[in-house]
């Protein structure tokens, strides 16, 4: 039990639709990172939020966007879904930026785009 | 560019065997993480280390900063150790993101 929960666990969407994935971090963790994991691959960094501001972004198009809220919850939004967006989406919470701290992962949301 | 490589990609072992999983990285890091992922997706952090060696139960993680190499050892392996083991680095020169290897699928047969 990591104390990080994601919802929903599974989701099926149609190409072109929009989706919102949610993550509830551990209390006191001000940093949340989102990753996309395609089948058989390691997770790829999408972006990170620290104290409600974006703090780094990977090589993902602008249709991937996020929000972080003061209550340690966060969202990943994907617009204009494409078939290649089908993947496991993971969020990870950690402490303060600039301090090496352990990352705690949620169980992931498996998104299927048809 | 920070790259993380793992070897082997797949490993099958018999219960009780000593297992070593290797990880190498290309640039200076601030920390190296070993993670475990079971079918279904959830990832659990096993170790975070920046130097030396750490031990937890039957698991031992080591890192050699000069050689940019880390190993995860499993002693007296058990079928419940079957999972994907992933190493990931936090890059010194970049943001706080984790850069992941592709993972190694371990199957321990009874």
């Amino acid at each position: 039990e990591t104390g990080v929960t994601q919802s929903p666990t599974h989701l099926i969407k149609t190409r072109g639709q929009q989706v919102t994935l949610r993550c509830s971090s551990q209390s006191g963790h001000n940093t949340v990172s989102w990753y996309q994991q395609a089948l058989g691959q390691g997770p790829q960094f999408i972006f990170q939020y620290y104290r409600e501001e974006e703090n780094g972004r990977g090589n993902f198009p602008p249709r991937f966007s996020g929000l972080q809220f003061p209550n340690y919850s966060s969202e990943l939004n994907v617009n204009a879904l494409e078939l290649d967006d089908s993947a496991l989406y993971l969020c990870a919470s950690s402490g303060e930026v600039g301090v090496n701290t352990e990352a705690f992962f949620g169980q992931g949301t498996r998104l299927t785009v048809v | 560019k920070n790259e993380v490589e793992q070897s082997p990609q797949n490993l099958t072992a018999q219960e009780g065997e000593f297992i070593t999983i290797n990880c190498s990285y290309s640039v200076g890091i601030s920390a190296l993480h070993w993670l475990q992922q079971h079918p279904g997706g959830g990832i659990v952090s096993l170790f975070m280390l920046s130097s030396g060696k750490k031990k937890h139960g039957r698991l031992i993680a080591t890192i050699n900063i000069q050689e940019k190499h880390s190993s995860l050892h499993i002693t007296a392996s058990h079928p419940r150790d079957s999972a994907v083991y992933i190493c990931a680095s936090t890059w010194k020169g970049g943001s706080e993101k984790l850069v992941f290897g592709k993972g190694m699928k371990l199957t321990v047969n009874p």
Side-chain angles (χ1 to χ4, degrees), chain B residues 31-68:
Chain B
L32 192 289
H33 303 250
W34 280 102
L35 309 156
Q36 182 191 56
Q37 186 171 34
H38 281 280
I43 290 179
V44 174
S45 176
L46 299 173
F47 295 103
M48 183 187 72
L49 65 166
S50 53
S51 64
K53 173 178 161 178
K54 286 190 176 180
K55 183 176 190 293
H56 185 256
R58 294 181 294 108
L59 302 179
I60 303 167
T62 63
I63 188 168
N64 184 317
I65 300 295
Q66 286 73 30
E67 295 186 5
K68 297 186 175 63

Side-chain angles (χ1 to χ4, degrees), chain B residues 7-27:
Chain B
S7 63
Q9 291 194 328
N10 290 280
L11 182 63
T12 300
Q14 288 301 120
E15 183 173 357
E17 285 185 9
F18 179 83
I19 292 164
T20 296
I21 306 167
N22 296 303
C23 175
S24 61
Y25 52 91
S26 57
V27 299

Side-chain angles (χ1 to χ4, degrees), chain A:
Chain A
E1 191 66 40
T2 65
V4 180
T5 57
Q6 291 187 243
S7 62
T9 54
H10 294 82
L11 196 55
I12 299 175
K13 288 285 193 179
T14 303
R15 190 173 50 184
Q17 284 188 313
Q18 178 266 343
V19 69
T20 297
L21 310 182
R22 293 181 172 85
C23 173
S24 177
S25 299
Q26 279 198 12
S27 180
H29 278 189
N30 292 310
T31 306
V32 64
S33 304
W34 285 90
Y35 297 88
Q36 180 196 65
Q37 186 178 23
L39 204 60
Q41 301 294 316
Q44 297 292 316
F45 176 69
I46 303 174
F47 45 58
Q48 181 184 86
Y49 277 79
Y50 174 66
R51 296 184 184 267
E52 301 163 53
E53 298 285 333
E54 188 177 288
N55 182 53
R57 188 179 181 90
N59 189 26
F60 281 80
R63 59 190 185 83
F64 285 77
S65 63
L67 284 171
Q68 186 186 27
F69 303 101
N71 65 349
Y72 305 110
S73 67
S74 59
E75 291 179 354
L76 163 65
N77 298 289
V78 188
N79 293 323
L81 283 166
E82 300 177 0
L83 297 179
D84 284 350
D85 296 333
S86 296
L88 180 69
Y89 289 85
L90 294 156
C91 74
S93 78
S94 55
E96 296 297 307
V97 164
V99 177
N100 279 337
T101 59
E102 193 174 354
F104 294 86
F105 286 82
Q107 79 280 14
T109 294
R110 187 163 298 281
L111 172 66
T112 303
V113 182
V114 298

Side-chain angles (χ1 to χ4, degrees), chain B residues 3 10 13 39 47 59 78 80 88 92 102:
Chain B
E3 294 178 336
N10 290 280
F47 295 103
L59 302 179
H78 190 275
R80 65 174 174 265
K92 251 182 200 173
K102 287 188 177 179

